[in-house]
PDB file of all heavy atoms in Angstrom:
ATOM      1  N   LEU B   8      73.978  82.962 100.409  1.00 55.00           N
ATOM      2  CA  LEU B   8      73.241  83.644  99.334  1.00 55.00           C
ATOM      3  C   LEU B   8      72.241  82.669  98.701  1.00 55.00           C
ATOM      4  O   LEU B   8      71.291  83.074  98.021  1.00 55.00           O
ATOM      5  CB  LEU B   8      74.228  84.063  98.235  1.00 55.00           C
ATOM      6  CG  LEU B   8      74.790  85.476  98.429  1.00 55.00           C
ATOM      7  CD1 LEU B   8      75.682  85.839  97.250  1.00 55.00           C
ATOM      8  CD2 LEU B   8      73.753  86.522  98.577  1.00 55.00           C
ATOM      9  N   LYS B  16      64.449  78.254 101.963  1.00 40.00           N
ATOM     10  CA  LYS B  16      64.911  77.860 103.229  1.00 40.00           C
ATOM     11  C   LYS B  16      64.542  78.944 104.246  1.00 40.00           C
ATOM     12  O   LYS B  16      64.564  80.095 103.922  1.00 40.00           O
ATOM     13  CB  LYS B  16      66.414  77.655 103.284  1.00 40.00           C
ATOM     14  CG  LYS B  16      66.824  76.484 102.393  1.00 40.00           C
ATOM     15  CD  LYS B  16      68.085  75.835 102.893  1.00 40.00           C
ATOM     16  CE  LYS B  16      68.417  74.686 101.973  1.00 40.00           C
ATOM     17  NZ  LYS B  16      69.748  74.738 101.464  1.00 40.00           N
ATOM     18  N   TYR B 100      85.110 119.572 117.088  1.00 83.00           N
ATOM     19  CA  TYR B 100      85.994 120.299 116.218  1.00 83.00           C
ATOM     20  C   TYR B 100      85.879 121.791 116.413  1.00 83.00           C
ATOM     21  O   TYR B 100      86.788 122.523 116.535  1.00 83.00           O
ATOM     22  CB  TYR B 100      85.641 119.937 114.766  1.00 83.00           C
ATOM     23  CG  TYR B 100      86.493 120.623 113.738  1.00 83.00           C
ATOM     24  CD1 TYR B 100      87.782 120.183 113.473  1.00 83.00           C
ATOM     25  CD2 TYR B 100      86.010 121.673 113.001  1.00 83.00           C
ATOM     26  CE1 TYR B 100      88.564 120.782 112.530  1.00 83.00           C
ATOM     27  CE2 TYR B 100      86.777 122.316 111.995  1.00 83.00           C
ATOM     28  CZ  TYR B 100      88.011 121.864 111.776  1.00 83.00           C
ATOM     29  OH  TYR B 100      88.803 122.471 110.879  1.00 83.00           O
ATOM     30  N   LYS B 110      93.289 131.165 121.025  1.00 71.00           N
ATOM     31  CA  LYS B 110      94.302 131.430 122.042  1.00 71.00           C
ATOM     32  C   LYS B 110      95.656 131.747 121.410  1.00 71.00           C
ATOM     33  O   LYS B 110      96.358 132.595 121.845  1.00 71.00           O
ATOM     34  CB  LYS B 110      94.419 130.122 122.868  1.00 71.00           C
ATOM     35  CG  LYS B 110      94.130 130.311 124.324  1.00 71.00           C
ATOM     36  CD  LYS B 110      94.501 129.110 125.130  1.00 71.00           C
ATOM     37  CE  LYS B 110      93.740 127.916 124.647  1.00 71.00           C
ATOM     38  NZ  LYS B 110      94.148 126.668 125.352  1.00 71.00           N
ATOM     39  N   ASP B 113      95.598 135.475 119.219  1.00 63.00           N
ATOM     40  CA  ASP B 113      94.780 136.593 119.655  1.00 63.00           C
ATOM     41  C   ASP B 113      95.429 137.882 119.184  1.00 63.00           C
ATOM     42  O   ASP B 113      96.593 138.106 119.474  1.00 63.00           O
ATOM     43  CB  ASP B 113      94.744 136.621 121.199  1.00 63.00           C
ATOM     44  CG  ASP B 113      93.304 136.474 121.635  1.00 63.00           C
ATOM     45  OD1 ASP B 113      92.441 136.703 120.838  1.00 63.00           O
ATOM     46  OD2 ASP B 113      93.172 136.142 122.803  1.00 63.00           O
ATOM     47  N   ARG B 115      96.276 138.620 116.282  1.00 67.00           N
ATOM     48  CA  ARG B 115      96.886 138.535 114.945  1.00 67.00           C
ATOM     49  C   ARG B 115      95.862 138.533 113.898  1.00 67.00           C
ATOM     50  O   ARG B 115      94.678 138.245 114.202  1.00 67.00           O
ATOM     51  CB  ARG B 115      97.706 137.258 114.885  1.00 67.00           C
ATOM     52  CG  ARG B 115      98.990 137.339 115.612  1.00 67.00           C
ATOM     53  CD  ARG B 115      99.941 136.288 115.228  1.00 67.00           C
ATOM     54  NE  ARG B 115     100.518 135.587 116.360  1.00 67.00           N
ATOM     55  CZ  ARG B 115     101.275 134.546 116.291  1.00 67.00           C
ATOM     56  NH1 ARG B 115     101.549 134.047 115.096  1.00 67.00           N
ATOM     57  NH2 ARG B 115     101.699 133.998 117.398  1.00 67.00           N
ATOM     58  N   PRO B 130      79.216 125.265 108.779  1.00 77.00           N
ATOM     59  CA  PRO B 130      77.878 124.690 108.762  1.00 77.00           C
ATOM     60  C   PRO B 130      77.357 124.485 107.316  1.00 77.00           C
ATOM     61  O   PRO B 130      76.545 123.621 107.052  1.00 77.00           O
ATOM     62  CB  PRO B 130      77.031 125.736 109.501  1.00 77.00           C
ATOM     63  CG  PRO B 130      77.915 126.769 109.939  1.00 77.00           C
ATOM     64  CD  PRO B 130      79.218 126.614 109.399  1.00 77.00           C
ATOM     65  N   THR B 145      81.066 132.143  96.852  1.00 76.00           N
ATOM     66  CA  THR B 145      79.950 131.870  97.734  1.00 76.00           C
ATOM     67  C   THR B 145      80.151 132.413  99.127  1.00 76.00           C
ATOM     68  O   THR B 145      79.194 132.901  99.754  1.00 76.00           O
ATOM     69  CB  THR B 145      79.798 130.310  97.868  1.00 76.00           C
ATOM     70  OG1 THR B 145      80.278 129.693  96.682  1.00 76.00           O
ATOM     71  CG2 THR B 145      78.423 129.893  98.166  1.00 76.00           C
TER      72      THR B 145
END
Side-chain angles (χ1 to χ4, degrees):
Chain B
L8 273 184
K16 295 207 180 128
Y100 180 76
K110 239 190 300 176
D113 243 342
R115 284 197 231 175
T145 331

